[in-house]
Amino acid sequence: MFRFRKAITGLALLALAGAAAAQPAAKITGLGRDATPKEVAAWDIDVRPDFKGLPAGSGTVEQGQEIWEGKCASCHGFFGESGEVFSPIIGGVQPKDLETGHVANLITPGYPGRTTFMKVATISTVWDFVNRAMPWNAPKTLKTNEVYAVLAFMLNIGGIVPDNFTLDEKTIRDVQKRMPNRNGMTTDHALWPGKEFGGAKKPDTSNVACMKDCTPEPKLDSFLPDFARNAHGNLAEQNRLVGAQHGADTTQPEPKTGEKPALPAAPKAPVEAAAPGVDAGKPDAKKAVALMQKNGCLICHGLTNKIVGPAYSDVAKKYAGQVDYLAAKIKSGGASVWGAIPMPPQALSVADAKTIAVWLAAGAGK
């Protein structure tokens, strides 16, 4: 009888647990509410390699160029080639790659670097990332047609589609057939579960340790003598400090075997003479902010919040009263002062740089 009562009690508890599982979470916990279908849809915006989730829309190469120059070029360059802030997007792809689906430069010894379109296998990946994360300072602000247009422009300057191409939810499937590295993705690692990604074998368990024919330790046959090490300027200041290509700090001696290289020294900003008629004067916040908007400064710097570079309010605290230094720094750019990401030299006039510097030196007030 005791066993019978125990069995009945167990079944009753299982039934109650099943009923609870079938109820919405909000009713079980008493906290919050269930997300509405509209709220779920706002987050469910990913686009898969089979184009599931891709919204309808279209954009031309010409439309994309206009958007690119206004919202993208300041970080990525006018042709997607810039490596000053982020890794280059365009470059390294050859016409033959469009036929084979394998980018030859990925396995070419000595090729200087890898761009986005050299590596990416599916065009949906690029569409999804631009839609969710760009522009850097205002993600998710591009409309669907603008995403199509920007992507059409990138495909055009990458040599994948012609100048008069219109990208939409139908033609994007044709583009996938021309992606230069479409056959370069492997699923042998099985790190992505599911049949659509190559099966369900255990990930990364087929490696076998090799204990023979090991590569001997390299022997240094030659090196750059100290008197020539910095002959062409500090290489650390001439290369990006993020990504695969780093420059050695040639202002420091060659590190000995086993030593860690010295961190790059902060570059010294050259002091420029003020333009005739330019005076420090009183700070003009309205004019300074307008100049920063015109020259794309606010893409990387927030007035009171850090984006890629420091907030202007923080710069103002650090360099209070240093008008000449700030003006020179705005013009020359530099790296290793606020972090690893360098600021490229700015093309604005000395007078405009001075206006911004005066505003910063006075506290960056409104």
Side-chain angles (χ1 to χ4, degrees):
M1 180 61 74
F2 174 76
R3 290 180 180 176
F4 177 76
R5 287 200 304 268
K6 188 174 181 180
I8 293 298
T9 303
L11 289 173
L13 289 173
L14 287 174
L16 288 173
Q23 296 182 47
K27 292 183 179 179
I28 298 173
T29 62
L31 300 174
R33 60 173 177 77
D34 294 331
T36 66
K38 187 176 181 180
E39 289 170 337
V40 173
W43 283 96
D44 187 18
I45 62 172
D46 64 295
V47 179
R48 300 193 333 180
D50 59 1
F51 300 109
K52 183 177 181 180
L54 181 69
S58 67
T60 66
V61 172
E62 184 177 0
Q63 292 168 340
Q65 180 176 0
E66 184 176 350
I67 299 168
W68 180 273
E69 292 178 355
K71 299 183 178 182
C72 313
S74 57
C75 285
H76 297 294
F78 284 97
F79 300 99
E81 82 296 348
S82 176
E84 294 177 336
V85 179
F86 303 105
S87 298
I89 297 176
I90 306 299
V93 172
Q94 305 174 59
K96 187 70 174 178
D97 301 337
L98 304 184
E99 300 176 16
T100 64
H102 289 281
V103 175
N105 279 329
L106 287 175
I107 55 174
T108 300
Y111 192 79
R114 298 181 175 186
T115 67
T116 299
F117 274 89
M118 285 174 62
K119 298 180 290 184
V120 70
T122 54
I123 189 61
S124 60
T125 301
V126 186
W127 199 104
D128 183 65
F129 185 78
V130 173
N131 184 47
R132 289 186 292 108
M134 293 292 113
W136 175 282
N137 63 327
K140 297 183 182 178
T141 59
L142 291 177
K143 298 178 181 178
T144 298
N145 288 346
E146 291 178 321
V147 177
Y148 275 109
V150 168
L151 189 53
F153 177 69
M154 284 194 283
L155 290 165
N156 175 251
I157 58 179
I160 301 172
V161 302
D163 295 345
N164 62 347
F165 188 76
T166 299
L167 184 69
D168 57 35
E169 71 276 11
K170 296 179 181 179
T171 58
I172 197 171
R173 288 167 167 78
D174 298 324
V175 170
Q176 177 57 40
K177 298 174 184 178
R178 289 177 55 81
M179 287 295 287
N181 200 41
R182 62 186 178 275
N183 296 323
M185 182 173 68
T186 178
T187 57
D188 290 342
H189 46 67
L191 295 177
W192 298 334
K195 294 181 179 179
E196 67 270 32
F197 294 119
K201 69 176 184 179
K202 294 182 179 180
D204 197 27
T205 56
S206 59
N207 292 336
V208 178
C210 174
M211 302 304 294
K212 63 179 182 177
D213 301 325
C214 301
T215 304
E217 185 176 351
K219 181 181 179 181
L220 183 64
D221 290 330
S222 64
F223 63 92
L224 195 65
D226 290 339
F227 69 84
R229 182 168 168 79
N230 199 37
H232 298 284
N234 189 358
L235 297 182
E237 295 180 10
Q238 301 173 34
N239 289 269
R240 298 182 310 112
L241 298 183
V242 293
Q245 295 83 34
H246 290 217
D249 182 5
T250 55
T251 63
Q252 305 295 324
E254 182 78 30
K256 297 179 182 179
T257 304
E259 286 184 350
K260 292 183 179 180
L263 294 174
K268 296 180 179 179
V271 178
E272 290 189 28
V278 177
D279 183 30
K282 295 182 180 180
D284 188 337
K286 186 175 182 181
K287 185 176 181 181
V289 173
L291 285 171
M292 291 187 293
Q293 289 176 333
K294 177 182 177 182
N295 290 280
C297 306
L298 297 180
I299 293 175
C300 293
H301 300 275
L303 295 178
T304 57
N305 61 298
K306 180 183 182 297
I307 305 178
V308 177
Y312 280 124
S313 57
D314 294 333
V315 175
K317 291 177 183 177
K318 185 172 183 177
Y319 299 108
Q322 301 183 43
V323 176
D324 291 336
Y325 173 82
L326 288 168
K329 196 68 175 175
I330 290 169
K331 288 284 293 177
S332 65
S336 303
V337 178
W338 290 91
I341 299 178
M343 182 180 82
Q346 303 301 309
L348 74 176
S349 68
V350 174
D352 288 346
K354 197 81 170 185
T355 299
I356 298 173
V358 169
W359 170 73
L360 282 171
K366 296 182 179 179

